[in-house]
Amino acid sequence: MDTRERLLLTAERLMGERGINGVSLREITRKAGQKNASALHYHFGSRDGLIEAIFEKRMRVIDINRMKLLDEMEREGRLNDVRCVAEAVTRPPAELLDAPNWSGNYIKFLTEMFLSTDTNIDDFVRDRLDGGLRRSFEILKTLLPEIPESVLRQRFIIMMRAGTFALADIDAHRKRMEAEGRPFDIQRAVETLIDMWVGGISAPLRETETRSTGRAAA
């Protein structure tokens, strides 16, 4: 593993454990086993450059896999089902939990990014690494025309973020159970998360919400 990769993976792990601003660049460099204090600045330039590199590494793979999954579903004529969209949003990041090379740390890093008030994920991924999410949202607009776009967008963001926190919890629960010598069915947990995602995104509108958007109740 080269120096750049070691620094990136160490930062991903430590930021996931302590928060995006909970660890210094100096400590990341030291924990990565680098004696040269300027190594991180040499490879990434700044904290933002380091965060962007983490997204570039993980989100590019997730986005590619999400697009492939959506393409496959489209070829099979399955994109007329909200659950398929929920799968496309959920499965690619869930796959990182069993991937090699510390990939599971990314989910914890991502939850800390959502909690940070100093950084905005959109600044790092918008129009570069979020093509699959934007495509998923466009499909949902056609599947759920009764839900106003502003409401649907808010639900989409909530479910996407809640799903990330749920994946982090699933991973932690699995590790606890495995440490106790008990089996854990992670596939069942992910399927349950997808079911809940469907329920959240397609929940009926409140009557007051229906009136405020100018739509007649069914």
Side-chain angles (χ1 to χ4, degrees):
M1 186 185 302
D2 64 21
T3 298
R4 186 181 188 279
E5 183 78 351
R6 189 175 297 279
L7 286 165
L8 188 151
L9 294 177
T10 301
E12 181 182 67
R13 175 176 61 83
L14 292 176
M15 288 180 176
E17 292 172 353
R18 304 186 197 173
I20 300 303
N21 295 309
V23 57
S24 69
L25 300 183
R26 183 182 298 274
E27 184 175 4
I28 292 171
T29 302
R30 180 171 56 82
K31 291 286 188 180
Q34 302 304 309
K35 296 181 180 180
N36 185 345
S38 64
L40 193 146
H41 287 282
Y42 172 79
H43 287 284
F44 304 105
S46 64
R47 184 179 294 269
D48 279 355
L50 175 60
I51 292 171
E52 184 174 2
I54 294 172
F55 276 118
E56 181 72 27
K57 179 180 180 64
R58 302 302 187 194
M59 282 299 290
R60 185 165 299 283
V61 173
I62 289 174
D63 195 50
I64 288 172
N65 290 341
R66 182 172 285 131
M67 290 293 249
K68 286 181 178 178
L69 187 53
L70 287 168
D71 286 343
E72 178 184 338
M73 290 173 173
E74 187 172 30
R75 287 194 301 269
E76 296 173 353
R78 294 194 290 136
L79 284 181
N80 57 352
D81 183 353
V82 172
R83 195 177 198 282
C84 286
V85 180
E87 286 186 36
V89 173
T90 304
R91 289 199 187 282
E95 289 169 355
L96 288 182
L97 299 181
D98 285 323
N101 203 13
W102 301 357
S103 297
N105 289 328
Y106 176 71
I107 298 300
K108 291 191 292 184
F109 165 83
L110 192 55
T111 62
E112 292 299 327
M113 280 293 297
F114 283 136
L115 292 172
S116 173
T117 58
D118 299 323
T119 54
N120 186 345
I121 291 177
D122 285 347
D123 293 339
F124 297 99
V125 305
R126 184 188 289 118
D127 297 330
R128 293 194 310 118
L129 304 170
D130 62 347
L133 288 176
R134 287 186 283 113
R135 182 178 172 187
S136 296
F137 182 73
E138 290 302 313
I139 295 169
L140 285 174
K141 283 165 54 177
T142 66
L143 295 177
L144 300 169
E146 71 279 8
I147 301 178
E149 182 174 342
S150 60
V151 175
L152 187 63
R153 187 177 300 279
Q154 186 176 44
R155 290 184 181 188
F156 187 79
I157 293 171
I158 289 172
M159 294 311 301
M160 185 181 64
R161 296 188 177 196
T164 301
F165 281 90
L167 286 175
D169 185 65
I170 286 170
D171 189 45
H173 187 55
R174 175 180 63 170
K175 289 174 180 175
R176 285 194 298 269
M177 292 189 68
E178 289 177 348
E180 297 170 1
R182 295 190 291 162
F184 181 78
D185 189 344
I186 191 168
Q187 293 305 318
R188 179 180 177 184
V190 171
E191 290 289 342
T192 298
L193 175 57
I194 292 170
D195 291 337
M196 294 177 66
W197 206 102
V198 173
I201 202 73
S202 58
L205 291 170
R206 301 188 315 275
E207 184 179 349
T208 53
E209 194 170 46
T210 302
R211 288 200 302 266
S212 69
T213 57
R215 292 173 180 265

